[in-house]
Amino acid sequence: MFDAIAAWYAGLSTASFFNFKFLPKYAVYFVHGVEYTLLLAVVSVLLAILPALLLALMRLSKNRVVKNISGAYIAVFRSTPLLVQLSIIFFGLFNVIRIPTIKVFGFVDLSYFIPGVVALALNSSAYVAEIFRAGILAVDGGQMEAARSLGLSKWQGMKLVVLPQAVKNILPTLANEMVTMVKESSICMALGMQELMWGAKTVAASSFISIGPYILAAIIYFCINFPASKAIEAVERRMRRGDQR
């Protein structure tokens, strides 16, 4: 039986969906690709939080100029392709601001990583800003009135009363943005950043196995994102039960 399976496996074509003969030689590309992808996603979303909060507060401002500036930023970044934004930032902004070619962890080139993180963070901040705004608007207006009646200023009421409640409301959605960023970071492959899709493409070109590396990349993305999504759903259900008590 095992001989028959080995013979079947040895006879797989380079275009077979089940041809993973490249793994013993090229597994390191996928290991580094996963590490690079997770690093891109986590750092990008964390860097997007503060700008997103500022944009959300600007959107809620009564000052029309401030509100329109925030609205224009969000509209531009949500209405243009991420690849276009990445290309403009990489070839435009970072053609002027030179990043030295320094490698960290042995495979993360900062001259590529930093432009990628900046582009992803700027894009993510436009989406996270709307998440923050929705979370703030979901807090009962009486909370701010109660804070003001206790002698707090409007900013103190926002910082000490409204924002803590809003953050609790948006945590599951913010975690979902992290899952989304894991997938969207694959766009960085187009500029040679050594994330998971870059690894799959490089292995496919080097091993002449055209489908297997991409199938493996899809399996890895699924193994990262599906359990993470289910964990987020479980946390969200638990938070809803806590609010109902």
Side-chain angles (χ1 to χ4, degrees), residues 72-84:
Y73 177 97
I74 292 170
V76 167
F77 277 90
R78 293 185 68 172
S79 303
T80 55
L82 178 54
L83 181 57
V84 173

Side-chain angles (χ1 to χ4, degrees), residues 16-163:
S16 171
F17 278 64
F18 305 102
N19 191 339
F20 299 128
K21 295 176 186 176
F22 56 85
L23 264 179
K25 184 177 181 180
Y26 295 105
V28 67
Y29 284 84
F30 292 93
V31 173
H32 286 168
V34 169
E35 293 169 348
Y36 202 114
T37 295
L38 293 177
L39 197 60
L40 270 175
V42 172
V43 174
S44 298
V45 173
L46 290 178
L47 286 179
I49 288 175
L50 284 180
L53 179 57
L54 178 62
L55 288 166
L57 294 175
M58 289 170 68
R59 284 278 281 166
L60 295 170
S61 172
K62 293 180 180 179
N63 186 308
R64 183 171 292 182
V65 175
V66 171
K67 187 174 183 178
N68 288 341
I69 290 172
S70 175
Y73 177 97
I74 292 170
V76 167
F77 277 90
R78 293 185 68 172
S79 303
T80 55
L82 178 54
L83 181 57
V84 173
Q85 298 165 20
L86 180 63
S87 300
I88 291 171
I89 289 168
F90 185 80
F91 294 112
L93 177 62
F94 284 93
N95 191 39
V96 177
I97 304 171
R98 294 289 184 175
I99 305 295
T101 304
I102 300 172
K103 287 196 174 184
V104 294
F105 309 121
F107 64 94
V108 177
D109 187 342
L110 291 184
S111 64
Y112 283 86
F113 182 78
I114 291 176
V117 162
V118 169
L120 292 173
L122 290 175
N123 177 271
S124 181
S125 64
Y127 291 89
V128 177
E130 291 296 274
I131 294 171
F132 270 117
R133 187 170 72 94
I136 291 169
L137 291 175
V139 177
D140 192 282
Q143 297 290 317
M144 178 60 80
E145 293 175 8
R148 295 301 298 275
S149 69
L150 292 172
L152 298 179
S153 66
K154 189 173 182 180
W155 168 241
Q156 288 174 326
M158 178 64 72
K159 182 176 69 171
L160 300 174
V161 178
V162 176
L163 278 180

